[in-house]
Amino acid sequence: GSAGQGVQTGRMMEALEPVMQREKPDIVIVYGDTNSTMAGALVAAKLHIPIAHVEAGLRSFNTAMPEEINRVVTDHVSRWLFTPTDEAARNLSREGIQAKSIRQVGDVMYDAALAYADDSRAEGLLHRFGVTAGGYVLATIHRAENTDCNDRLRRIIDALVNVANNVPVLFPVHPRTLAALNVLDVLPLQSKNIKLISPLSYLDMLSLEKHAQVIVTDSGGVQKEAFFFKVPCVVVRNETEWVELVRLGGAVLSPPEMLKENVNKATYTIPDEVAANLYGGGKASLRIACELMERSGRQ
């Protein structure tokens, strides 16, 4: 919820410890870089329970991001580190983590997107929001670096308003972002083509991502999902942990003042033969499950 970083993490650790003591798991699996990820890892480490970190090794090299602290700490208390990319594996090696602990398996988000992207949902969603396939920009903004800086958030909204003069913008509004917009009184209602909508379910979000013309986001997960569906992505951040997407031509980093220009010229240029195995080819989950069963002695 809205509690501070320390309060959130402390409350989760306090609640998790008796559960792990009671259940005595063979392995604790944590995913990603949220506060709950680090809380689960720290409790397991204190109780001497082996930890497997899925999506290990990502680095933005920006320690002002809470997620960066979470992922670094989690990696360094984990026994098994399942990385989504070669770059993530190299990051861990550079930090002195032993190679025997690192497994480059791919990204389970890719597995999920392949399994759950259902075109049968799309028609109803597009009709509901009054847009057509390939004829709208999908925007998500939620990171503290964008929402907690009044000037930066105002510039992002102004840019989206300008984008919406040419193409409709669907904007599922995160609670943090909505609170910030209300304080600033800059809700972009002056543009009828910006459609502020409530946060969406995972399945609905996949459908809208798949059929967008361009995606504008500061989310790491949404960046990847744009790639999964070969949709150009403009990332409203100064850096990203998914560096290969920018390097290969699937996404572009953009300051707010360049947002409209970058949306207008956004392209997806990753060759199919490169994209096919970039995040494990949809087999990451199977690789992780087999590895953990083998390590725990289970069949």
Side-chain angles (χ1 to χ4, degrees):
S2 58
Q5 298 283 333
V7 172
Q8 284 186 34
T9 307
R11 286 177 179 171
M12 286 186 278
M13 291 179 67
E14 185 178 9
L16 282 167
E17 185 173 52
V19 175
M20 293 191 197
Q21 289 174 322
R22 181 176 67 247
E23 300 296 335
K24 297 180 174 57
D26 298 308
I27 297 171
V28 168
I29 305 173
V30 293
Y31 174 82
D33 55 19
T34 61
N35 287 340
S36 56
T37 301
M38 186 174 72
L42 287 174
V43 171
K46 295 281 189 179
L47 295 176
H48 308 293
I49 302 169
I51 303 158
H53 185 199
V54 178
E55 201 180 78
L58 298 181
R59 297 291 184 268
S60 68
F61 302 103
N62 178 3
T63 54
M65 293 173 57
E67 295 89 348
E68 184 78 351
I69 303 298
N70 292 343
R71 60 174 78 107
V72 171
V73 170
T74 300
D75 282 342
H76 283 268
V77 297
S78 296
R79 181 178 299 184
W80 299 291
L81 298 114
F82 295 111
T83 59
T85 64
D86 292 334
E87 183 70 22
R90 285 192 288 270
N91 287 337
L92 295 175
S93 296
R94 284 191 288 262
E95 292 175 13
I97 292 176
Q98 294 183 345
K100 66 180 181 181
S101 299
I102 303 168
R103 294 288 183 274
Q104 211 292 77
V105 294
D107 193 336
V108 296
M109 280 189 66
Y110 194 15
D111 302 18
L114 292 175
Y116 294 112
D118 181 3
D119 279 341
S120 67
R121 307 176 71 87
E123 184 177 353
L125 279 170
L126 299 179
H127 177 75
R128 172 180 159 194
F129 296 123
V131 293
T132 58
Y136 61 93
V137 170
L138 180 65
T140 75
I141 301 293
H142 78 283
R143 286 191 181 272
E145 64 199 76
N146 287 326
T147 62
D148 294 358
C149 175
N150 290 349
D151 178 64
R152 186 174 175 88
L153 181 59
R154 190 183 300 274
R155 285 184 287 131
I156 291 171
I157 296 304
D158 286 345
L160 289 176
V161 169
N162 285 330
V163 169
N165 290 329
N166 299 322
V167 59
V169 174
L170 291 186
F171 188 1
V173 185
H174 189 281
R176 180 213 298 269
T177 312
L178 182 60
L181 290 174
N182 281 323
V183 169
L184 282 181
D185 194 27
V186 292
L187 288 174
L189 300 180
Q190 63 268 42
S191 174
K192 64 181 181 180
N193 282 333
I194 285 192
K195 303 175 186 294
L196 274 71
I197 58 180
S198 298
L200 297 164
S201 71
Y202 171 67
L203 297 180
D204 284 351
M205 191 65 181
L206 283 184
S207 289
L208 289 182
E209 288 167 351
K210 185 174 182 179
H211 295 283
Q213 176 182 320
V214 179
I215 291 174
V216 174
T217 190
D218 58 8
S219 163
V222 174
Q223 287 175 55
K224 286 186 295 176
E225 286 163 348
F227 158 75
F228 300 157
F229 300 129
K230 302 181 181 180
V231 175
C233 184
V234 179
V235 182
V236 193
R237 287 169 58 184
N238 297 324
E239 69 284 305
T240 178
E241 55 275 24
W242 302 102
V243 293
E244 61 283 343
L245 294 181
V246 175
R247 186 170 62 241
L248 294 171
V252 61
L253 296 172
S254 178
E257 56 271 18
M258 296 290 293
L259 183 55
K260 180 181 179 182
E261 179 181 342
N262 284 323
V263 167
N264 288 341
K265 66 181 184 181
T267 56
Y268 173 97
T269 60
I270 303 179
D272 287 344
E273 59 271 22
V274 174
N277 293 303
L278 185 57
Y279 290 113
K283 303 290 186 181
S285 305
L286 179 61
R287 294 186 186 106
I288 292 169
C290 290
E291 181 80 14
L292 290 178
M293 286 192 291
E294 180 181 337
R295 294 286 179 175
S296 64
R298 302 294 178 89
Q299 298 297 322

